[in-house]
Amino acid sequence: MSDVHPIEVESYRILRSRIDLSGLPPLSRAVTERIIHATADFDYVTDLMCDEAALAAGVAALRRGAPVIADVAMVASGITGYPVICKIGDSLSARLARTANLTLSAAAVRLAFGEAGPGAVWLVGCAPTALNEIMTRQVEPALVIGVPVGFVGAAAAKDDLRASGLPALTNVSEKGGSAVAVAAFNALLRMVKDEADTSAGESSGPSGAAQ
């Protein structure tokens, strides 16, 4: 298991002293706790819409090395230890946005899908239009972490995501943001890495000697 910084250990101790989430399914608990740890906002307990089956599909996708796509650079920069596709700064995105009359975020989604194809994990922490493009393009995602923030279009886009039937993690309110998207993803990635570490330890055996 990867080392955990003492500050993070203490943060989780405080969090769990204030609220007991042990009744949640394991992936939903991991994601919810990680988001509260990242935001210090306990309202996410009731604001998040966690689907355990969808989260399990995301974990399975990461286990097999599926592409991960972020809507903005701030989301991409928060993820270490896993490659992330982010086209928001690509000059082709700006050109496509102009020629196709799209927002830059929607154009970046379209380009990213062309590179990644179906079965990817999508992270949207900023732009509702990116979330709308994901639904419009029928990208066949493994999981969409859709938590854009803002007063204009964010809550409506998340409502549409829940109604779309796509495997998704989202929240009800206008809050959200890059830190929330990153926290949710990192919770799932940690589960994958912890599983891999456990399997490696078991396969090596107590002595490590060949049989």
Side-chain angles (χ1 to χ4, degrees), residues 99-119:
T99 57
N101 195 28
L102 299 169
T103 67
L104 184 59
S105 296
V109 163
R110 194 171 292 188
L111 282 184
F113 178 57
E115 179 176 329

Side-chain angles (χ1 to χ4, degrees), residues 66-139:
V68 170
I69 302 164
D71 66 329
V72 293
M74 190 175 293
V75 173
S77 65
I79 297 167
T80 60
Y82 200 101
V84 179
I85 298 168
C86 181
K87 296 294 189 181
I88 196 72
D90 194 315
S91 61
L92 290 177
S93 294
R95 187 182 308 167
L96 178 60
R98 289 193 301 271
T99 57
N101 195 28
L102 299 169
T103 67
L104 184 59
S105 296
V109 163
R110 194 171 292 188
L111 282 184
F113 178 57
E115 179 176 329
V121 175
W122 292 80
L123 313 180
V124 179
C126 181
T129 56
L131 203 52
N132 291 331
E133 184 69 14
I134 288 168
M135 291 182 281
T136 301
R137 299 299 294 176
Q138 299 180 338
V139 301

